[in-house]
Structure formats: structure tokens, C-alpha cells
Amino acid sequence: MNGQTRHFVLTPEGGIREFSAEQAALVAAGARRMPEFAKRQLRYLQVTVLDEPNNEDLRIQTAGACLGFDSDGRLAEARPPDGESEQISRFEHDTCVQWVLRDLPTAHLTFH
């Protein structure tokens, strides 16, 4: 089974920013500061696409979290969403998934 994971941060202003796997790992390890996120709570969506050789089906798994950044822009916490304001909307979720799918070399995608 082959897999690809993409990482998105969702801002309260409606912005969606994608990070590479390397960038996401550095932020998670505290080795990369994000000054633009200092003292902010943001939502995070991870989209993983799994495909099996010799099978036309794709599996898409998503996971969300809330991220808290300290005054220097380093990741201070990652936790499950709690409450209405921290939930990832269906629109945000679907937008990130479709963004990932647009890059796949699959000729037979059907969106439902």
C-alpha cells in the first residue's frame, strides 16, 4: 500500500496553508518557529491518501487537531478540537481533500 500525507493549517480568517511533511515535522519537534502564528490557536487537518497497487480504489483518512503556539511561534500544544469554534467545517475539510486529490494521476475520480 502506498501512502501520501499532506498537512494543512486553518486560520480563523478562513485561510488554508499547506506545509510539506518536512516542515510539519520540524514544527512538531519545536525545531521551526512560525512567528506569524505566535500566541495563536489554530486548527490543523492532516489528509492521508492510501492506494493499493492493482486496485482502482483510494482510501482517504483525515485527522484534525487544535494547535497552540507560544509567544515565539513555537508549537506549544496539540490537542483534539473542543467546542464549536474549534471544529473543522465540512467546507474546509472537503477543500483540503480536493486540493490533495487534484495532484493525483488518477483518471477516474468521482466526487460525492
Side-chain angles (χ1 to χ4, degrees):
M1 184 174 293
N2 297 322
Q4 172 189 35
T5 300
R6 307 272 288 269
H7 308 270
F8 299 90
V9 171
L10 311 167
T11 67
E13 301 82 30
I16 298 175
R17 182 169 168 187
E18 183 175 5
F19 289 88
S20 70
E22 180 181 339
Q23 291 169 323
L26 290 172
V27 170
R32 179 174 179 172
R33 292 184 321 112
M34 305 298 296
E36 66 271 33
F37 298 152
K39 297 183 182 179
R40 295 189 70 188
Q41 296 285 323
L42 300 172
R43 294 161 302 132
Y44 165 80
L45 183 66
Q46 177 179 298
V47 180
T48 302
V49 177
L50 302 166
D51 64 334
E52 294 185 36
N54 305 321
N55 188 343
E56 292 184 16
D57 293 335
L58 292 175
R59 286 185 25 215
I60 298 173
Q61 297 175 330
T62 59
C66 286
L67 307 178
F69 292 85
D70 67 15
S71 59
D72 292 324
R74 291 194 195 287
L75 182 65
E77 72 170 331
R79 59 180 173 72
D82 182 37
E84 185 72 25
S85 66
E86 294 182 348
Q87 297 301 314
I88 296 168
S89 75
R90 195 79 189 135
F91 176 79
E92 292 167 323
H93 178 274
D94 291 353
T95 298
C96 292
V97 169
Q98 289 185 25
W99 185 259
V100 170
L101 291 177
R102 76 171 171 52
D103 292 334
L104 294 178
T106 305
H108 305 292
L109 288 178
T110 303
F111 295 97
H112 297 279

